[in-house]
């Protein structure tokens, strides 16, 4: 998996999000955007078919505790369906790419 | 002389336009109409009158006809293009047939001849006002009825939602996400999965899976006669009562299926209407001694598959339960060679597709190919496109393996999890397709992390929530790992068949376990920062089953062979 900042408040993730290292890398990059002043974050997930619960927990914390305005764009239907099953579409503002 | 006080009572809230080009009449009539209306707008001609009408919410128009720039009738014609209801009183000294016809067709409701007799004017105002009041009242009544309807709909919907929540609360499943380990050499454990699909919110189907002791369970399926509220009440009464009995017997340690059924029968008889019946399956399984006792009251047959792949059908041994008591029998069956069991209500086997095919014709084959309630239902859904009844399915599948393909020991550091999951990933590459493997590994990782957190480092949901919200989660892990000596054991069992491969993975931690029943409501609150791992895994896998303590999970996934 690769994660990089592709804008002042945008992060793009390629490859599958799977391990605890992936979670830590995502957290570091997203945090770097927030520390530079971003109050909203767009996360583009171009091909992951899953999202570990640790990443979900981190994103929810950003929304509820840090009051970051979140937007997530996913390409894969399976990941989108998972977000729907977990009732996260609205709260994390998930959309299909 | 008109009673002006009465008329003013009617007109006091109205907004009126008075259109008159002759100043004398304009001043005179305006003065006479002082105090009658809430607002009285005055216009000098038809064009002004039209403008005033467009800008204000007018209840009544009083107008002269012969005026420069635009006559009264021409003004009314323009008004009628947008508004067909506002009453008009026409003041005119000129009336011929053609004029009258045009005026009536334009919806002029009252005529007052010039020179004006004020009693006639007041009468015309009174009649026109009554009409306005009546129309306003009708509109208000309609709005109120609509509000009441919306309120009732919302209230009804809320009541239904609460009733369904209550119904689910009463249904008890002591085998929810649990397995029954038979404690023998090798791996031998029963996995229980279920599907409860009511057609309406208030369902005539219900079920219970109650633990009587460690290896003994009472499984009850109820199908009350008819549909809707009446059937639902019977189903709920039955479920509640059998729950109550199960609790009593468990506490006393002296369960008897015969006494349980007798007690239920005595109870429900008094509640049934004369022509009402209840169909029930009582199934008592002693997993340790491989013995099943059953009393089936007009329910679909139990289906059992044995180790030679032969299907056994156990038909109902009793008529349905009615208001009139009848003796009943209890059957017995040896389960020692059984590997799969299916218990269900008739919404499944008696379902007809739109092409008029009966699912009973496919059920045995689908049952023999399936390994869980979820899988069976997905096969059912392919064929059946027309649900007409509630469906309840309880599926028991035996994992019986004398050998393990590989086992892995994850030691106490979180980075070891990544190392080992990579090794497992490499092993499974030969069995899972390229697009299936990452998804499966995501699910496996969730269960392993769950074992690590809840088991090895004893981190409960509340504590985890606090650590995440204060950004101290990683710090806690690093600190805890220093002294942690607990390991996680992962066993992989792969069974290959002609057209599919079954992957079972058993993950055991050394913690004191966790309360699996918490998973029942997990993930419903989407403001929770944790608690989704098992739900994510559940959505990907065919099954997740925890042992009694909650420190060992078996996950499985069926993988079809071929392209």
């Amino acid at each position: 998996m690769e994660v990089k900042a592709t804008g002042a408040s945008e992060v793009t993730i390629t490859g599958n999000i799977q391990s605890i290292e992936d979670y830590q890398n995502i957290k570091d990059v997203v945090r770097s955007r927030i520390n530079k002043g971003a109050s909203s974050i767009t996360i583009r997930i171009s091909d992951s078919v899953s999202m570990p619960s640790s990443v979900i927990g981190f994103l929810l914390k950003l929304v509820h505790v840090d009051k970051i305005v979140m937007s997530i764009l996913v390409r894969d239907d399976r990941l989108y369906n998972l977000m729907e099953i977990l009732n996260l579409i609205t709260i994390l503002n998930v959309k299909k790419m | 002389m008109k009673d002006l006080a009465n008329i003013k009572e009617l007109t006091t809230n109205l907004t009126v336009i008075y259109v008159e080009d002759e100043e004398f009449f304009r001043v005179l009539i305006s003065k006479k109409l002082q105090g009658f209306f809430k607002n009285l707008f005055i216009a000098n001609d038809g064009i002004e009158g039209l403008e005033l009408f467009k800008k204000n919410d007018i209840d009544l128009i009083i107008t002269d006809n012969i005026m420069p720039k635009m006559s009264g009738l021409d003004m009314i014609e323009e008004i009628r293009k947008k508004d067909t209801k506002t009453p008009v009183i026409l003041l005119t000294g000129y009336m011929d047939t053609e004029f009258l016809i045009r005026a009536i067709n334009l919806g002029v409701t009252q005529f007052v001849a010039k020179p004006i007799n004020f009693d006639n004017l007041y009468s015309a105002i009174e009649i026109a006002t009554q009409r306005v009041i009546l129309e306003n009242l009708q509109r208000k009544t309609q709005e109120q009825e609509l509000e009441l309807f919306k309120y009732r709909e919302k209230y009804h919907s809320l009541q239904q939602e609460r009733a369904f929540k209550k119904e689910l609360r009463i249904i008890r499943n002591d085998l929810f996400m649990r397995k029954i380990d038979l404690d023998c050499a090798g791996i031998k454990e029963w996995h229980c999965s279920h599907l409860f699909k009511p057609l309406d919110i208030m369902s005539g189907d219900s079920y219970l899976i109650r633990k009587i002791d460690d290896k003994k369970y009472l499984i009850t399926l109820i199908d009350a006669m008819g549909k809707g509220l009446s059937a639902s009440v019977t189903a709920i009464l039955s479920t509640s009562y059998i729950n109550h009995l199960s609790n009593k017997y468990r506490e006393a340690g002296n369960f008897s299926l015969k006494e349980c059924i007798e007690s239920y029968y005595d109870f429900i008889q008094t509640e049934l209407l004369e022509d009402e019946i209840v169909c029930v399956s009582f199934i008592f399984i002693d997993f340790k001694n491989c013995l099943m006792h059953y009393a089936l009251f007009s329910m679909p047959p139990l289906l059992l598959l044995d180790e030679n792949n032969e299907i056994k059908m156990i038909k109902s041994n009793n008529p349905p339960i009615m208001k009139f008591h009848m003796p009943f029998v209890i059957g017995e069956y040896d389960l020692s060679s059984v590997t799969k069991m299916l218990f269900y209500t008739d919404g499944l086997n008696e379902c007809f597709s739109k092409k008029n095919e009966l699912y009973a014709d496919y059920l045995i084959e689908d049952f023999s190919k399936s390994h869980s309630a979820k899988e069976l239902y997905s096969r059912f859904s392919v064929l059946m496109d027309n649900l007409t009844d509630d469906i309840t399915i309880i599926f028991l599948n035996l994992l019986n393996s004398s050998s393990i393909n590989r086992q892995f020991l994850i030691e106490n550091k979180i980075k070891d999890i990544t190392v080992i999951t990579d090794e497992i990933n490499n092993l499974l590459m030969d069995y899972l397709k390229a697009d299936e493997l990452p998804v499966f590994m995501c699910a496996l990782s969730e269960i392993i992390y769950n074992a690590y957190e809840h088991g090895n480092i004893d981190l409960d949901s509340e504590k985890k929530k606090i650590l995440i919200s204060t950004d101290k989660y990683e710090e806690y892990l690093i600190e805890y790992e220093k002294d942690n000596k607990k390991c996680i054991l992962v066993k992989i069992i792969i069974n290959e068949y002609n057209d599919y491969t079954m992957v079972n993975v058993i993950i055991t931690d050394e913690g004191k376990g966790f309360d699996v029943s918490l998973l029942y409501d997990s993930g419903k609150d989407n403001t929770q920062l944790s608690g989704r791992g098992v739900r994510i895994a559940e959505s990907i896998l065919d099954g997740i089953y925890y042992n009694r303590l909650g420190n060992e999970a078996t996950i499985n996934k069926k993988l079809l062979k071929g392209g």
Side-chain angles (χ1 to χ4, degrees):
Chain A
M1 185 217 71
E2 245 192 62
V3 53
K4 50 185 178 182
T6 46
S9 56
E10 186 181 272
V11 169
T12 299
I13 302 170
T14 51
N16 259 315
I17 310 168
Q18 220 174 292
S19 65
I20 197 99
E21 273 86 12
D22 294 342
Y23 152 69
Q24 275 162 348
N25 290 338
I26 291 168
K27 196 174 153 193
D28 290 341
V29 175
V30 169
R31 275 261 166 246
S32 75
R33 296 296 92 198
I34 293 167
N35 292 342
K36 284 199 166 123
S39 58
S40 67
I41 293 283
T42 298
I43 300 179
R44 303 176 75 89
I45 305 175
S46 54
D47 39 25
S48 185
V49 299
S50 55
M51 186 184 288
S53 57
S54 46
V55 175
I56 293 172
F58 167 65
L59 295 176
L60 285 172
K61 189 235 168 191
L62 288 180
V63 170
H64 286 296
V65 178
D66 301 329
K67 307 295 180 201
I68 299 294
V69 176
M70 184 69 57
S71 177
I72 299 181
L73 301 168
V74 311
R75 179 160 281 139
D76 199 282
D77 282 343
R78 282 169 289 185
L79 180 55
Y80 187 85
N81 291 341
L82 175 68
M83 301 304 254
E84 203 166 28
I85 288 168
L86 297 175
N87 196 14
L88 294 171
I89 298 290
T90 306
I91 202 161
L92 292 179
N93 191 17
V94 182
K95 293 190 172 79
K96 280 289 311 275
M97 249 195 256
Chain B
M1 189 73 169
K2 275 271 149 190
D3 183 351
L4 297 186
N6 277 346
I7 296 172
K8 282 180 184 175
E9 251 184 60
L10 292 177
T11 60
T12 193
N13 287 322
L14 301 188
T15 300
V16 177
I17 300 176
Y18 171 46
V19 190
E20 171 62 70
D21 62 317
E22 289 190 53
E23 192 182 346
F24 172 77
F25 288 113
R26 199 165 58 240
V27 169
L28 175 64
I29 292 172
S30 314
K31 216 168 166 182
K32 285 283 189 184
L33 294 181
Q34 281 289 333
F36 271 75
F37 308 112
K38 186 175 162 189
N39 295 304
L40 176 64
F41 295 107
I42 313 290
N44 296 330
D45 57 53
I47 290 179
E48 269 186 41
L50 186 62
E51 282 310 305
L52 281 171
F53 184 86
K54 285 177 185 172
K55 285 178 187 162
N56 298 283
D57 195 9
I58 303 297
D59 297 307
L60 175 65
I61 302 165
I62 303 170
T63 182
D64 185 21
N65 185 39
I66 312 269
M67 291 182 288
K69 296 184 190 173
M70 185 185 261
S71 70
L73 283 187
D74 288 342
M75 179 191 73
I76 294 161
E77 191 167 0
E78 285 305 308
I79 288 171
R80 284 297 183 238
K81 284 176 184 172
K82 293 267 165 75
D83 177 292
T84 54
K85 291 201 171 149
T86 307
V88 178
I89 299 172
L90 193 61
L91 312 176
T92 181
Y94 170 75
M95 293 213 207
D96 72 8
T97 314
E98 209 176 294
F99 168 81
L100 274 175
I101 290 169
R102 188 181 173 213
I104 290 167
N105 285 341
L106 284 172
V108 172
T109 46
Q110 305 296 324
F111 297 86
V112 177
K114 278 184 170 177
I116 291 177
N117 174 309
F118 281 97
D119 274 353
N120 289 346
L121 178 59
Y122 297 141
S123 290
I125 290 171
E126 190 181 9
I127 292 166
T129 304
Q130 281 168 348
R131 184 179 151 173
V132 169
I133 290 172
L134 189 64
E135 275 174 9
N136 282 347
L137 190 63
Q138 275 175 349
R139 194 185 65 239
K140 217 169 189 170
T141 306
Q142 273 173 357
E143 280 166 12
Q144 280 174 346
E145 275 174 8
L146 189 62
E147 277 308 302
L148 188 61
F149 177 75
K150 282 182 191 167
Y151 171 76
R152 278 191 188 137
E153 276 294 298
K154 198 173 168 186
Y155 177 78
H156 182 61
S157 167
L158 191 65
Q159 286 302 308
Q160 288 216 309
E161 201 182 297
R162 289 176 70 98
F164 189 56
K165 266 190 181 157
K166 185 82 183 182
E167 202 176 357
L168 292 180
R169 176 92 179 84
I170 288 169
I171 289 171
R172 291 279 304 274
N173 181 356
D174 292 341
L175 278 177
F176 173 73
M177 291 185 80
R178 289 203 179 273
K179 59 179 176 171
I180 301 160
D181 200 328
L182 296 181
D183 302 326
C184 54
I187 291 163
K188 199 166 183 180
E189 43 185 65
W190 280 98
H191 299 160
C192 178
S193 56
H194 75 281
L195 181 120
F196 178 58
K197 211 154 182 66
L199 207 58
D200 286 317
I201 282 178
M202 299 305 290
S203 168
D205 266 21
S206 187
Y207 75 96
L208 286 168
I209 304 176
R210 297 308 316 270
K211 180 177 172 180
I212 302 300
D213 78 22
D214 210 32
K215 304 276 189 263
K216 293 179 184 165
Y217 285 81
L218 173 67
I219 298 172
T220 313
L221 285 90
I222 296 147
D223 188 350
M225 184 191 86
K227 288 183 172 48
L229 213 47
S230 153
S232 177
V233 169
T234 305
I236 289 176
L237 274 176
S238 302
T239 315
S240 300
Y241 190 73
I242 298 168
N243 257 339
H244 167 69
L245 288 178
S246 306
N247 291 339
K248 265 182 51 177
Y249 284 122
R250 188 158 69 181
E251 278 163 24
N254 61 353
F255 180 78
S256 154
L257 183 62
K258 184 169 180 282
E259 280 177 23
C260 177
I261 297 172
E262 273 172 357
S263 179
Y264 167 72
Y265 213 134
D266 286 342
F267 165 76
I268 203 67
Q269 266 188 296
T270 58
E271 310 303 336
L272 292 174
L273 301 172
E274 270 198 8
D275 57 349
E276 199 179 349
I277 59 167
V278 187
C279 301
V280 189
S281 294
F282 285 96
I283 303 156
F284 180 64
I285 302 180
D286 178 349
F287 287 97
K288 185 177 170 189
N289 296 311
C290 300
L291 200 57
M292 177 173 73
H293 288 94
Y294 60 92
L296 311 176
F297 295 84
S298 281
M299 284 288 271
L302 312 181
L303 296 183
L304 310 174
L305 182 80
D306 71 17
E307 54 203 11
N308 300 317
N309 274 336
E310 281 174 18
I311 300 268
K312 169 79 182 177
M313 231 193 233
I314 299 181
K315 294 187 183 172
S316 275
N317 46 359
N318 297 286
I321 293 177
M322 298 169 278
K323 196 161 183 63
F324 316 102
H325 195 98
M326 291 190 60
F328 61 87
V329 297
I330 295 176
E332 187 179 283
Y333 195 84
D334 177 2
L335 298 176
S336 46
S337 63
V338 170
T339 59
K340 258 193 243 185
M341 297 188 264
L342 178 67
F343 315 139
Y344 53 99
T345 55
D346 65 6
L348 182 72
N349 59 311
E350 289 181 13
C351 187
F352 276 94
S353 69
K354 283 184 183 155
K355 291 183 200 167
N356 230 24
E357 293 164 314
L358 182 64
Y359 188 65
D361 295 338
Y362 299 92
L363 177 57
I364 287 178
E365 189 182 340
D366 281 355
F367 164 62
S368 58
K369 288 179 180 171
S370 301
H371 291 80
S372 65
K374 189 171 156 182
E375 188 184 348
L376 177 66
Y377 188 73
S378 71
R379 290 178 186 278
F380 166 87
S381 304
V382 165
L383 295 165
M384 298 290 128
D385 46 12
N386 188 30
L387 292 189
T388 52
D389 197 1
D390 309 315
I391 295 177
T392 307
I393 297 171
I394 294 171
F395 198 113
L396 284 139
N397 192 49
L398 180 68
L399 171 62
N400 189 1
S401 183
S402 53
S403 65
I404 298 165
N405 289 65
R406 280 282 298 274
Q407 71 180 37
F408 301 86
L409 189 69
I410 302 174
E411 291 184 3
N412 58 350
K413 297 208 178 350
I414 203 163
K415 68 175 171 55
D416 295 330
I417 296 178
T418 312
V419 169
I420 298 297
T421 49
D422 282 347
E423 283 187 42
I424 297 172
N425 189 78
N426 292 336
L427 167 70
L428 292 176
M429 262 177 177
D430 293 336
Y431 301 96
L432 280 89
K433 295 177 202 159
D435 59 343
E436 285 174 334
L437 185 58
V439 184
F440 180 82
M441 287 310 298
C442 177
L444 177 59
S445 299
E446 289 293 346
I447 301 300
I448 291 174
Y449 282 122
N450 201 59
Y452 178 78
E453 282 180 351
H454 290 284
N456 288 11
I457 64 170
D458 200 18
L459 185 65
D460 64 36
S461 308
E462 269 314 300
K463 203 168 177 178
K464 186 178 175 183
K465 183 179 165 185
I466 294 166
L467 289 170
I468 292 176
S469 61
T470 54
D471 270 330
K472 287 188 164 43
Y473 176 67
E474 280 84 25
E475 203 180 296
Y476 179 87
L477 291 184
I478 293 166
E479 194 51 44
Y480 208 98
E481 272 182 2
K482 287 178 188 166
D483 300 317
N484 178 34
K485 299 278 182 272
K486 293 177 185 167
C487 299
I488 297 169
L489 181 63
V490 180
K491 293 176 196 162
I492 316 270
I493 302 152
I494 301 172
N495 293 318
E496 295 212 68
Y497 302 91
N498 285 343
D499 49 359
Y500 69 93
T501 304
M502 201 70 198
V503 177
N504 280 282
V505 184
I506 303 175
I507 303 110
T508 312
D509 65 70
E510 292 186 290
K512 56 183 189 323
F514 78 105
D515 184 358
V516 178
S517 64
L518 291 175
L519 296 170
Y520 194 76
D521 286 320
S522 75
K524 286 182 188 168
D525 177 359
N526 61 16
T527 63
Q528 285 297 316
L529 305 184
S530 65
R532 281 175 192 77
V534 178
R535 285 198 79 208
I536 290 171
E538 203 191 350
S539 70
I540 295 167
L541 300 165
D542 293 339
I544 307 176
Y545 308 98
Y546 280 88
N547 67 351
R548 187 175 50 86
L549 274 180
N551 68 347
E552 181 175 278
T554 302
I555 65 171
N556 54 37
K557 182 86 183 157
K558 183 175 178 178
L559 308 154
L560 296 176
K561 287 183 179 174

